[in-house]
Amino acid sequence: MNVAPHAEMDFILYVTLCYKRRIMNWRDDYQSKLVTAKEAVSKIKSGDRVVMAHAIAEPKALIDAMVDNAGNYMDVELVCMINMGASRFCEPEYKTNFRLNSLFVGPRVRKAVAEGRADYTPVFFHEIPELIKAQLVPDVTLLQLSPPNEHGYCSFGVSVDYTSTAALECPGLNIAQINKEMPRTMGSYIHVSELDYIVECDQPLIELSPPVIGEVEAAIGQNIASLINDGDCLQLGIGSIPDAVLAGLKGKKDLGVYTEMFSDGVVDLVEAGVITNKRKNFRKGKMVATFLMGTKKLYDFVDDNPQVEMLPVNLVNDPRIACQNDNLVAINACVQVDLQGQVVSDSVGLRQISGVGGQVDFVRAANMSKGGRAIVAMPATTKGTSKIVPFIHEGAAVTTSRNDVSYVVTEFGIAKLKGKTLRERAKQLINIAHPDFREELKLEFEKRFHQSYS
Ligand code: COA
């Protein structure tokens, strides 16, 4: 029916009909947009910038089809945060077809970045949505979503972060893999009318096996637990340490969660009645996150669960917002800490091994939070070398500044840095280094501070 707004009444009728058409016809709209993965990726053109959903929400069917179609493209820029899939687009044979602009260099793409076939852009996680709107504007956004609900809204599932901004606030085509395995998390949705092409493909989500918690990790977890009070609100970083910390918190009461991401360890503590979110002063009763990585146990837990609120990263991680949580404790892992308390978390020398992610967002938020604390944790050694060092590796980037750290924790104890002099913090850090390396650190202390260490 052709309804034109000739007169005021006609106009009201027109708007009403359009509105009803959207509400009533989303199912037809959905059907009309259904294509195969191959047809969908044929909409990508040489020179396009393609923003891809990341981590567990990486749309595998679309990415596989895109790589299989590589011969039809030149110089496609792929923008993505954590790549969890096969990442074939980074292989040398595709170097003229694709170039990854990685916003967090995960293990799958480290080699390509090191060998110059892919790039890394340093950026705070909370600023990525703005970066995408202002500079990395997508020609195409590839998504993986839950099937629509009765009103035609798909959930962003386990990954809202920058994906919702790319899809809802930027020009360009939205191509979505609709996957029945994607949990319908609450907080962030996209209507079928916002999608351009839809590919139905049900695939099990990638699962991240829970990290092995050995003696070292368990000791770190216990040390951190001694810094956490009942009622605190936790942010947990990425890696094996956060889950070890959670395992050490079984005796606490009424903890809250406001974090960039969480994993299976949180589910155990909710089920044990330790995490209740009752004493949170900000988004009380809710666990807030922007993406999730874990096993099916986690994905089932967050499905249709109103306790869990999944929001865009510019809302979750912005320190000005996150700091509204009183007693916010940020717990993050790192690669190296020098004797001044400078923290390296995303590079080993010049080699980029991850990204800043939300570490600095939450370290700053914790510092601004009433009663907040920023904890950096690590095993004292890696592959036979000390992670507490006089000088960081040549070429390494400082992720978290020495001014921002409240505590550094290893399996040997806790170093309190906040408010301490350079001399005091060096001493505290040597005390928590592995005993095999303390003597050489003490020599450096004596050279630096012109006094004996004792
Ligand atoms: N010297 C040399 N290599 C080191 C090192 C050091 N001091 N510290 C770590 N590495 C190497 C490890 O050997 C490992 O190498 P491999 O993969 O070749 O075996 C690699 O760096 C990763 O270290 P690992 O200890 O296995 O990492 P993890 O999974 O526990 O994660 C971080 C630790 C620091 C990499 C991770 O927490 C991170 O990326 N942090 C930055 C972002 C962040 O904190 N975000 C917060 C919320 S998402």
Side-chain angles (χ1 to χ4, degrees):
M1 183 165 63
N2 186 15
V3 185
H6 294 307
E8 202 184 347
M9 279 314 289
D10 282 354
F11 181 69
I12 292 168
L13 181 66
Y14 174 76
V15 170
T16 311
L17 282 177
C18 288
Y19 180 70
K20 280 192 173 161
R21 196 176 283 166
R22 173 173 161 161
I23 300 295
M24 291 172 67
N25 288 343
W26 72 260
R27 286 188 176 81
D28 294 343
D29 189 23
Y30 183 94
Q31 289 300 324
S32 72
K33 291 171 175 173
L34 277 177
V35 291
T36 64
K38 195 172 172 189
E39 285 165 336
V41 299
S42 70
K43 310 298 170 193
I44 299 170
K45 299 184 301 300
S46 289
D48 274 357
R49 176 180 295 119
V50 177
V51 171
M52 306 191 295
H54 82 134
I56 305 303
E58 213 176 290
K60 183 175 180 309
L62 302 180
I63 293 174
D64 282 349
M66 179 179 76
V67 179
D68 290 342
N69 196 38
N72 291 318
Y73 323 117
M74 290 285 284
D75 298 327
V76 170
E77 182 189 1
L78 303 175
V79 176
C80 192
M81 199 158 163
I82 304 178
N83 295 98
M84 296 294 293
S87 309
R88 284 191 292 139
F89 43 77
C90 276
E91 285 170 13
E93 64 183 290
Y94 300 118
K95 72 170 189 225
T96 56
N97 312 105
F98 305 111
R99 190 164 179 95
L100 176 69
N101 182 355
S102 177
L103 309 177
F104 188 105
V105 182
R108 301 260 180 199
V109 301
R110 278 180 198 156
K111 191 162 184 283
V113 172
E115 291 176 359
R117 290 192 309 282
D119 296 303
Y120 166 63
T121 300
V123 55
F124 297 125
F125 200 0
H126 83 276
E127 290 182 345
I128 291 180
E130 197 49 46
L131 180 72
I132 287 177
K133 281 201 278 185
Q135 287 186 56
L136 299 178
V137 182
D139 296 296
V140 177
T141 298
L142 300 183
L143 305 157
Q144 184 173 194
L145 305 168
S146 78
N149 66 5
E150 61 188 305
H151 304 290
Y153 284 90
C154 304
S155 162
F156 280 97
V158 292
S159 195
V160 182
D161 38 67
Y162 60 86
T163 317
S164 61
T165 304
L168 292 168
E169 296 181 50
C170 294
L173 294 177
N174 288 328
I175 302 179
Q177 173 178 348
I178 301 290
N179 185 356
K180 285 188 183 138
E181 300 290 323
M182 179 61 86
R184 175 182 302 289
T185 61
M186 300 195 158
S188 300
Y189 310 91
I190 182 167
H191 194 263
V192 163
S193 58
E194 306 276 358
L195 304 176
D196 295 289
Y197 297 98
I198 296 172
V199 176
E200 286 184 337
C201 183
D202 301 330
Q203 290 172 323
L205 297 185
I206 296 170
E207 295 191 48
L208 204 66
S209 23
V212 180
I213 301 176
E215 269 176 35
V216 168
E217 289 78 12
I220 294 170
Q222 286 304 328
N223 287 337
I224 293 181
S226 72
L227 296 171
I228 292 175
N229 305 318
D230 292 343
D232 278 348
C233 180
L234 308 180
Q235 173 261 333
L236 301 153
I238 199 163
S240 52
I241 301 296
D243 267 358
V245 172
L246 289 168
L249 297 179
K250 299 219 164 87
K252 304 286 173 187
K253 289 195 185 71
D254 288 330
L255 297 177
V257 172
Y258 184 100
T259 185
E260 163 182 321
M261 64 151 293
F262 67 83
S263 195
D264 291 34
V266 161
V267 183
D268 298 333
L269 287 191
V270 172
E271 285 169 356
V274 174
I275 293 177
T276 62
N277 297 294
K278 266 192 206 160
R279 281 163 67 174
K280 280 175 81 175
N281 62 315
F282 182 65
R283 306 204 88 85
K284 200 185 182 83
K286 302 271 183 197
M287 261 181 302
V288 178
T290 197
F291 77 103
L292 306 165
M293 294 204 286
T295 67
K296 185 143 189 339
K297 172 170 146 180
L298 173 72
Y299 309 145
D300 289 345
F301 171 77
V302 298
D303 186 36
D304 206 20
N305 186 344
Q307 281 182 81
V308 181
E309 195 169 36
M310 296 292 293
L311 298 173
V313 70
N314 48 318
L315 299 183
V316 176
N317 279 33
D318 187 328
R320 291 162 295 194
I321 299 174
C323 76
Q324 292 176 50
N325 292 282
D326 288 351
N327 304 309
L328 180 63
V329 184
I331 305 163
N332 290 287
C334 74
V335 167
Q336 270 188 332
V337 176
D338 74 6
L339 287 180
Q340 307 183 54
Q342 302 195 91
V343 178
V344 174
S345 306
D346 59 311
S347 56
V348 175
L350 273 175
R351 194 162 63 91
Q352 193 64 43
I353 62 145
S354 67
V356 56
Q359 180 167 128
V360 174
D361 294 344
F362 273 97
V363 162
R364 289 188 175 155
N367 280 318
M368 290 192 269
S369 144
K370 195 170 150 203
R373 283 142 278 159
I375 300 173
V376 169
M378 61 182 177
T381 57
T382 184
K383 296 176 183 162
T385 61
S386 178
K387 285 167 80 93
I388 295 181
V389 288
F391 303 100
I392 60 176
H393 285 134
E394 188 177 339
V398 171
T399 311
T400 294
S401 105
R402 61 186 184 172
N403 310 296
D404 276 327
V405 187
S406 315
Y407 300 96
V408 176
V409 176
T410 70
E411 66 274 32
F412 296 102
I414 300 167
K416 181 168 193 271
L417 303 195
K418 200 86 187 173
K420 302 289 178 193
T421 64
L422 289 175
R423 189 171 50 83
E424 288 166 333
R425 52 181 60 208
K427 215 170 207 180
Q428 295 231 19
L429 286 163
I430 293 168
N431 277 338
I432 63 161
H434 190 288
D436 289 354
F437 297 95
R438 285 187 199 163
E439 284 316 308
E440 65 186 75
L441 292 167
K442 283 178 188 173
L443 287 177
E444 176 60 30
F445 177 94
E446 287 169 2
K447 197 162 106 196
R448 203 175 282 187
F449 298 106
H450 311 286
Q451 59 179 245
S452 75
Y453 177 99
S454 56

